[in-house]
Each structure stands twice: as C-alpha cells, then as structure tokens.
Amino acid sequence: MSDCLFCKIVAGDIPSNKIYEDAHLFAFHDINPQAPVHALVIPKRHIETLDDLTEPDRELAGHLLERTTHIARLLGVAEAGYRTMINTRSDGGQEVYHIHVHILGGKRIGPMVCRQSS
Ligand code: 5GP
Ligand code: ZN
C-alpha cells in the first residue's frame, strides 16, 4: 500500500534500524522504545490488522510467529523472556495499520495491566 508507513520501511523509502529480513518478513527496532529491547516484526505484504488474516495467510502467520522467536534470540532476550503483542484496531491501541508483532524485553515487563476507564 503506497501510503503505509511500514510498507515504506520495507521498501527502504523510510530508514529503519533493521534487525532481520527474509523473503516474507522484515524486523526493525521501534522508533519509540517502551523497553530496553523493543522490536517490530512485520510481513512484507501489506495486511492491515490481525483480523484481516485469512486462511491462505496461515503459512505466513506461522512463519511470523516462528521467526519472532528467532528474532528474540538474536536480540538476546529469549532466555530471560519477553512480551509479544499484536494490537488490533482502535480499542486494541493499533496506530499503524500494517500488522506487526511487538517484541519487548531487556527488563521485567511485569503482568499485563488493562485499566478499566469506562
Ligand atoms: P501500534 O501502536 O500500531 O501497535 O504500534 C506502532 C509502533 O510503531 C509504535 O510502537 C511506534 O513507536 C512505532 N513506529 C511508528 N512510526 C515509526 C517509524 O517511523 N519507525 C519505527 N521504527 N517505528 C515506528
Ligand atoms: Zn503496509
């Protein structure tokens, strides 16, 4: 998608701090890290949200998860542990509408807290 930020990162039109790339995936450091390690893993193909995955994307989805564990190992956080997160649409806190897995680590992230605001 031509005006998608993450498609532009995959294309190299917007610079990023690349961690990993293969034929289907791209991983890079988050520009606004929420932990000492904060990486994003994305499919190269533009898919807007987790909810837009369909049956033909099954292999890609498996590859995305398996490579996420590989990238966590590359980043040195696998043994101590890390948080993975996929935010979906507005209530899920998604800001960039190109599916991405967050990897957060390098410190104790602690339990997940969802504050009830309404
Ligand atoms: P979301 O809120 O959609 O789950 O996560 C989007 C993430 O993309 C945020 O953590 C944000 O910091 C990151 N981000 C937004 N723009 C850029 C950018 O231009 N480069 C990089 N590397 N990360 C970005
Ligand atoms: Zn995109």
Side-chain angles (χ1 to χ4, degrees):
M1 206 201 207
S2 57
D3 63 349
C4 168
L5 178 68
F6 286 177
C7 282
K8 287 179 182 163
I9 284 179
V10 169
D13 295 338
I14 291 177
S16 70
N17 197 346
K18 181 169 96 171
I19 301 162
Y20 174 87
E21 180 175 12
D22 66 26
H24 303 289
L25 304 179
F26 195 86
F28 53 102
H29 292 280
D30 197 290
I31 204 168
N32 182 23
Q34 303 299 306
V37 170
H38 188 174
L40 301 172
V41 189
I42 67 174
K44 288 184 166 178
R45 180 155 59 84
H46 182 81
I47 301 172
E48 290 203 344
T49 79
L50 183 67
D51 188 58
D52 295 303
L53 282 180
T54 59
E55 206 282 335
D57 300 318
R58 204 183 263 216
E59 194 174 334
L60 176 66
H63 184 56
L64 178 65
L65 272 191
E66 188 279 327
R67 288 289 87 184
T68 292
T69 70
H70 173 74
I71 291 157
R73 278 195 298 281
L74 287 181
L75 292 168
V77 296
E79 199 171 324
Y82 52 94
R83 167 81 44 83
T84 46
M85 226 167 46
I86 302 175
N87 298 325
T88 302
R89 298 194 180 129
S90 56
D91 277 4
Q94 185 172 5
E95 288 174 0
V96 179
Y97 276 65
H98 179 132
I99 190 171
H100 49 282
V101 181
H102 293 258
I103 300 173
L104 293 146
K107 69 169 187 182
R108 181 172 279 272
I109 306 284
M112 194 174 75
V113 178
C114 294
R115 289 185 189 82
Q116 183 82 282
S117 57
S118 60

